[in-house]
Amino acid sequence: MKKSLLAASVAGVLLLSGHAQAQTTPEGYQLQQVLMMSRHNLRAPLANNGSVLEQSTPNKWPEWDVPGGQLTTKGGVLEVYMGHYMREWLAEQGMVKSGECPAPDTVYTYANSLQRTVATAQFFITGAFPGCDIPVHHQEKMGTMDPTFNPVITDDSAAFSQKAVLAMEKERSQMHLDESYQLLEQMTNYKDSPSCKEKQQCSLLDAKDSFSAKYQQEPGVSGPLKVGNSLVDAFTLQYYEGFPMEKVAWGEIKTDQQWKVLSKLKNGYQDSLFTSGEVARNVAAPLVKYIDKALVSERSSAPKITVLVGHDSNIASLLTALDFKPYQLHNQNERTPIGGKIVFQRWHDSKANRDLMKIEYVYQSSQQLRNAEVLTLNSPAQRVTLELKGCPIDSNGFCPIDQFDRVLNDAAN
């Protein structure tokens, strides 16, 4: 793996206050190991969706200052803030010392080999450990998917493909998206779009989705769900980037309720492709095995702090593969927000001489992202405690380590 170091400066800090969220740690509990599974931070809309975007409206799309799919300058700033916040939290727990670089081999950073994931990892390290020589590990060939983070179907049997497609269709059938499609058609002026005028595809509501689960490819869908996801993704990124509201979806989004209705399409796309049990267990297998090694089977030799940077598809499939209970993220419409992190924490309870696991979703709210709010312990990121079905938590959010180990081992084998 190639090692990359960041050479970038971050300026223009905008300081805004947030709401403190007290983290209760019982007396005698000591944090011993942390693994963060992160989604990359703010990117420009994906280039390969460009034709979808242009086909779906007669309106002109705003220009971005980076190519499609790349981390934006603001995305780097937001990730520096997240890194700084996580550093403060780790220092408070005694995992690192303020003002000092961590000892060699105590922090390991590994990213998928795309610009937006590697850059996110570099900016995180800059925020968490400024001036410290901590490399970001990734495949040497940039622009290609690393097998650990590549959510592709690895079963080449026709039977699995058929089962996976049925599972995705079942997920989609449980969603109620009519209101979302109607709102989107109205906002995009879909009846005057090239898609309608040139291809006679004039209704998202009436069109049908077609799912695919092909060997060595990501689970896929063509049809209105893909179009809807591409459009809402673009609107969401415009909002986070800080475009004036009259330029976000051409000024058509005026209420929180409209955001909620639109976000059903983006979340529905992800849920149908990556959260059925059959698909999730298959596509998340390499990542599950990596996490199992770091947290369970080889934890005695693992770094104290591991930072992994991938994609929303990684997080969505991982949460299903490990069988997490349903969760609700406050102050966010995305189920797997930009820059959000699943933070696995191994704690030692010195009073009872036992190890415990706590898992939290740490992320930035929609407002924190749009306003580029600086994150500190007094103005923190959002934190939501997660629970595995196979590892029930106590009132403080902890579950016994042996039960956690069993869940990971079962999922990895």
Side-chain angles (χ1 to χ4, degrees):
M1 285 185 178
K2 186 179 178 183
K3 300 181 177 182
S4 294
L5 293 172
L6 177 68
S9 61
V10 179
V13 172
L14 174 63
L15 186 57
L16 292 166
S17 64
H19 299 286
Q21 291 164 278
Q23 294 298 305
T24 53
T25 303
E27 191 183 341
Y29 279 38
Q30 176 61 52
L31 185 61
Q32 296 196 319
Q33 186 187 11
V34 170
L35 183 144
M36 306 176 208
M37 177 60 226
S38 177
R39 183 186 176 192
H40 59 77
N41 216 297
L42 183 57
R43 58 162 169 76
L46 293 167
N48 60 5
N49 286 340
S51 59
V52 174
L53 299 181
E54 286 154 15
Q55 287 289 310
S56 302
T57 179
N59 302 336
K60 185 169 169 51
W61 289 93
E63 294 290 323
W64 287 71
D65 62 358
V66 296
Q70 289 203 3
L71 195 77
T72 69
T73 303
K74 183 176 179 181
V77 172
L78 292 167
E79 196 60 32
V80 167
Y81 292 167
M82 181 62 93
H84 174 75
Y85 167 72
M86 294 305 292
R87 163 62 179 260
E88 282 197 346
W89 174 70
L90 290 166
E92 183 185 51
Q93 304 305 332
M95 287 280 280
V96 296
K97 289 182 180 172
S98 294
E100 292 183 16
C101 288
D105 303 325
T106 58
V107 178
Y108 188 83
T109 311
Y110 174 28
N112 189 28
S113 40
L114 300 183
Q115 184 272 349
R116 61 183 175 274
T117 41
V118 171
T120 294
Q122 291 170 331
F123 280 114
F124 179 88
I125 292 299
T126 296
F129 308 108
C132 301
D133 188 7
I134 298 173
V136 172
H137 299 264
H138 60 85
Q139 281 191 151
E140 188 163 0
K141 192 170 180 355
M142 287 290 286
T144 60
M145 294 291 284
D146 184 314
T148 301
F149 298 100
N150 198 4
V152 295
I153 302 290
T154 57
D155 186 324
D156 62 355
S157 70
F160 179 83
S161 178
Q162 187 177 10
K163 192 165 72 167
V165 167
L166 288 172
M168 290 188 277
E169 289 173 346
K170 184 181 177 186
E171 288 287 331
R172 169 63 187 91
S173 70
Q174 295 165 356
M175 298 168 193
H176 305 287
L177 301 177
D178 286 8
E179 184 187 6
S180 306
Y181 282 130
Q182 285 168 343
L183 181 60
L184 195 58
E185 285 183 3
Q186 174 193 323
M187 287 180 170
T188 57
N189 195 6
Y190 197 70
K191 289 203 175 343
D192 284 333
S193 70
S195 185
C196 178
K197 290 190 165 178
E198 296 165 16
K199 299 178 183 173
Q200 283 67 56
Q201 294 169 357
C202 299
S203 171
L204 294 171
L205 198 57
D206 298 333
K208 294 285 181 277
D209 292 309
S210 176
F211 291 91
S212 63
K214 295 176 181 171
Y215 180 58
Q216 289 301 316
Q217 291 183 25
E218 283 193 30
V221 63
S222 59
L225 194 59
K226 181 175 183 179
V227 174
N229 173 67
S230 299
L231 291 164
V232 177
D233 180 60
F235 299 159
T236 305
L237 297 170
Q238 290 169 0
Y239 180 80
Y240 291 160
E241 182 69 14
F243 282 81
M245 284 310 294
E246 65 268 17
K247 289 195 174 175
V248 175
W250 313 285
E252 293 288 332
I253 305 177
K254 296 177 172 65
T255 67
D256 286 343
Q257 182 57 25
Q258 286 176 313
W259 275 117
K260 284 187 171 64
V261 170
L262 290 172
S263 293
K264 284 183 180 179
L265 292 170
K266 194 165 183 299
N267 294 329
Y269 173 86
Q270 186 184 84
D271 286 350
S272 59
L273 292 186
F274 293 105
T275 68
S276 68
E278 291 84 353
V279 174
R281 283 188 292 272
N282 184 270
V283 302
L287 186 58
V288 169
K289 283 184 169 64
Y290 188 95
I291 292 172
D292 176 64
K293 273 188 178 178
L295 293 178
V296 183
S297 62
E298 297 178 14
R299 72 171 159 231
S300 59
S301 59
K304 283 204 306 183
I305 301 164
T306 301
V307 181
L308 307 177
V309 183
H311 306 269
D312 52 357
S313 53
N314 295 134
I315 289 177
S317 56
L318 177 69
L319 291 175
T320 299
L322 298 182
D323 211 6
F324 277 86
K325 290 187 175 180
Y327 62 91
Q328 187 67 46
L329 301 184
H330 43 257
N331 305 318
Q332 249 299 347
N333 290 317
E334 289 193 283
R335 282 176 52 75
T336 52
I338 282 281
K341 291 158 179 58
I342 307 297
V343 183
F344 295 86
Q345 311 156 32
R346 186 164 57 85
W347 294 76
H348 182 69
D349 171 10
S350 57
K351 288 185 174 178
N353 191 26
R354 59 182 183 151
D355 281 358
L356 300 158
M357 175 60 59
K358 184 173 187 178
I359 308 167
E360 291 178 285
Y361 213 137
V362 180
Y363 62 97
Q364 286 146 300
S365 70
S366 299
Q367 285 299 115
Q368 285 174 321
L369 290 167
R370 179 166 174 82
N371 297 335
E373 296 185 23
V374 177
L375 303 177
T376 66
L377 291 179
N378 292 324
S379 180
Q382 313 295 306
R383 300 181 80 124
V384 169
T385 301
L386 301 178
E387 182 173 11
L388 291 157
K389 286 182 183 171
C391 197
I393 58 175
D394 62 22
S395 58
N396 291 310
F398 295 88
C399 82
I401 201 74
D402 57 330
Q403 291 183 35
F404 172 79
D405 291 355
R406 198 155 50 242
V407 170
L408 257 285
N409 276 326
D410 288 349
N413 295 315

